[in-house]
Amino acid sequence: MAKKKSKTKARSKAKAPAKASKAKSSTKAAAKKTSARKPAAAAQKPKIKKSVFKKSAGGNGAHPRPSNKPFGQDGKALSGVRILDFTHVQSGPTCTQLLAWFGADVIKVERPGVGDITRGQLMDVKGADSLYFTMLNHNKRSITIDSKHPQGKRVLDALIKSCDVLVENFAPGALDRMGLTWDYIHKLNPRMIVASVKGFGPGPYEDCKVYENVAQCAGGSASTTGFRDGPPLVTGAQIGDSGTGLHLALGIVSALYQRIRTGRGQKVLCAMQDGVLNLARVKLRDQQRLAHGPLTEYSQYGEGIPFGDATPRAGNDSGGGQPGRILKCLGAPEDPNAYIYFITQAPVWGPICDLIGEPTWKTDPEYATPRARLPKLNQIFERIEQWTMTMTKFEVMNACNAVDIPVGPILSMKEIAEEKSLRDTGTVVEVDHPTRGKYLTVGNPIKMSDSITEVERSPLLGEHTDEILTAVLGFKAAEVDEIKNSGALSAPKKEEKAA
Ligand code: COA
């Protein structure tokens, strides 16, 4: 486990570049020899390019031998990677939590006395870290450091030297104001990857602070969410924060992979606006289609309502071009979640007609083709709803899936929390916490057969400060005392604060 990491491991990592450069030169030498030996034959035979991975990742021109340990028992995907986690709130913590689940040793640096602001936000249990914090910071270690204190800077420098990746999502310029510019970090540790979430990329808004819903609006999601005759809507899924954290994690592992070949770190930037736009990609697709005519799969086309010059809000129409709606089931509208998403997918039109008791619609030219159905979608969905309202959403789901009709029951968070299959797969996990007791969290949604996720509770504020100073950074007892006595790791006393 990353937490048991010793100095020996850190040392063996430091040796890696030397090995890699040796390997590079021996590969070159081998290539020279080969080309000297085979002249004419090479010209006739097409050259098969070897995979880059083969040349670089193993370092000696070959993959390591396949492990003979059982799957799931040979470490984790990111074992040996150490992360300096300077993140707070949601976007950055989502990213580092994922990396921790894949086995990285994530050291979360927090402001003394306060910590990540979310520890105290939306609190439900007095005196305990909030669920907002605990659910985003599993499997991490916490150290408190005043990054603007000279002794704090000393500890941060040591962390920069011993980590592979620094992840941060401060407001624009905050990291530089701490003195941690790219040049400074790169000089201390040329292998360091510096990964950032910002609200906007370079441009007119780059200095703005950004939260989830700002990003949903700036990334094009809000203007395309909601009903045509209502205001723009934000979605409950945190596509700005958690979505950008996911994007950043992919950037980081790609940079780690590239570093195997280049030996150097790089900057990785994910702007929340860009992350949201990437997830709203199909709406930019529709924007361009508008130049060539109306968007026929949007309900408003069938209703004869003209399109404007921008992608409109499409209510619950499906983004994939197949007409879809959310329909009432037995219990609605009193039960706010007794609904199902129903798609009139062309290939299953026949089974739909049979199920709802309209078998003649299969051959009636007024209904038989998708084009003929477009102007009648309201009437068709009303008829389907008459049928769905006779059953619960789960009964509708069973009836439809029996004949391969995809439908989506609207599951409440209560139903999801109680769903056994999600518990069985580790997607919903119960975690114990020393001050709040048991709580539910969302586990790792990415399942790997050789890198198994164990969800561990989030750290208390500064819980691992001593352990990190000594076991990770190698400070001697006298140095630890000096750093601690300077006040760099503790909250300022009340009278100091007031002054
Ligand atoms: N020791 C000393 N100072 C610390 C510190 C530490 N350990 N950790 C943070 N700070 C300081 C920062 O240096 C900064 O000081 P400065 O402004 O004087 O330079 C200050 O704390 C505030 O940091 P900041 O990031 O500006 O926090 P904020 O609460 O004002 O803004 C956000 C919060 C989220 C709006 C902002 O960080 C942001 O826009 N981040 C990028 C986009 C993002 O991730 N948004 C989504 C969050 S889920």
Side-chain angles (χ1 to χ4, degrees), residues 221-282:
S221 173
S223 72
T224 53
T225 304
F227 287 92
R228 188 182 36 76
D229 48 3
L233 283 184
V234 294
T235 100
Q238 304 286 281
I239 56 175
D241 280 340
S242 286
T244 308
L246 271 165
H247 283 94
L248 191 71
L250 178 59
I252 290 169
V253 291
S254 301
L256 281 166
Y257 188 85
Q258 187 172 1
R259 195 182 70 170
I260 295 170
R261 184 167 51 78
T262 62
R264 66 181 180 202
Q266 60 182 298
K267 290 187 268 185
V268 180
L269 170 68
C270 280
M272 293 168 74
Q273 180 183 41
D274 301 4
V276 170
L277 177 59
N278 186 35
L279 298 176
R281 174 176 295 262
V282 297

Side-chain angles (χ1 to χ4, degrees), residues 260-420:
I260 295 170
R261 184 167 51 78
T262 62
R264 66 181 180 202
Q266 60 182 298
K267 290 187 268 185
V268 180
L269 170 68
C270 280
M272 293 168 74
Q273 180 183 41
D274 301 4
V276 170
L277 177 59
N278 186 35
L279 298 176
R281 174 176 295 262
V282 297
K283 299 298 178 179
L284 185 57
R285 172 201 68 192
D286 293 348
Q287 178 64 40
Q288 295 169 88
R289 288 172 59 219
L290 268 178
H292 304 281
L295 308 171
T296 54
E297 77 283 14
Y298 281 52
S299 295
Q300 79 177 73
Y301 173 72
E303 291 161 13
I305 296 161
F307 285 79
D309 62 359
T311 309
R313 292 187 268 290
N316 288 320
D317 293 343
S318 139
Q322 303 284 346
R325 296 276 172 92
I326 289 185
L327 305 177
K328 290 192 195 94
C329 295
L330 195 65
E334 293 74 21
D335 175 349
N337 295 304
Y339 290 83
I340 197 146
Y341 196 89
F342 202 103
I343 311 164
T344 53
Q345 215 189 358
V348 288
W349 178 243
I352 291 172
C353 296
D354 288 336
L355 269 184
I356 64 171
E358 296 289 351
T360 57
W361 282 5
K362 289 189 279 188
T363 46
D364 182 341
E366 285 293 304
Y367 295 93
T369 63
R371 182 172 281 276
R373 290 194 289 273
L374 278 178
K376 298 183 204 67
L377 286 177
N378 286 346
Q379 181 224 331
I380 290 169
F381 279 116
E382 267 168 37
R383 177 65 191 94
I384 299 172
E385 193 171 59
Q386 283 171 8
W387 176 74
T388 58
M389 282 178 72
T390 63
M391 287 175 277
T392 68
K393 60 191 174 189
F394 296 110
E395 287 166 345
V396 175
M397 190 183 188
N398 289 340
C400 287
N401 276 307
V403 284
D404 274 345
I405 302 170
V407 286
I410 308 303
L411 294 185
S412 69
M413 277 298 157
K414 182 172 182 293
E415 286 164 329
I416 285 173
E418 291 163 358
E419 173 63 46
K420 188 180 172 304

Side-chain angles (χ1 to χ4, degrees), residues 150-172:
Q151 290 289 343
K153 204 68 192 315
R154 177 181 173 191
V155 180
L156 274 175
D157 285 358
L159 274 168
I160 289 170
K161 283 183 197 155
S162 84
C163 288
D164 301 277
V165 188
L166 184 158
V167 192
E168 63 93 19
N169 67 310
F170 290 124

Side-chain angles (χ1 to χ4, degrees), residues 1-7 9-10 13 76-85 96-108 138-142 159 162-167 456 464 467-468 471-473:
M1 273 297 300
K3 289 191 179 171
K4 307 269 154 42
K5 226 159 280 152
S6 65
K7 273 172 123 193
K9 271 209 174 158
K13 246 194 296 163
K76 300 207 174 168
L78 296 180
S79 294
V81 173
R82 186 174 287 146
I83 312 277
L84 197 175
D85 179 7
T96 51
Q97 176 169 263
L98 274 172
L99 301 175
W101 281 336
F102 291 132
D105 178 16
V106 175
I107 297 176
K108 184 167 173 109
H138 293 102
N139 298 57
K140 303 180 186 178
R141 297 199 267 183
S142 165
L159 274 168
S162 84
C163 288
D164 301 277
V165 188
L166 184 158
V167 192
E456 293 170 10
H464 306 96
E467 172 183 311
I468 291 162
V472 176
L473 303 178

Side-chain angles (χ1 to χ4, degrees), residues 88 90-91 111 145 147-148 169 171 177-178 209-210 241:
H88 63 158
Q90 186 181 165
S91 62
R111 196 204 281 259
I145 306 175
S147 61
K148 291 170 182 160
N169 67 310
R177 288 194 290 277
M178 288 179 189
K209 289 187 176 183
V210 168
D241 280 340

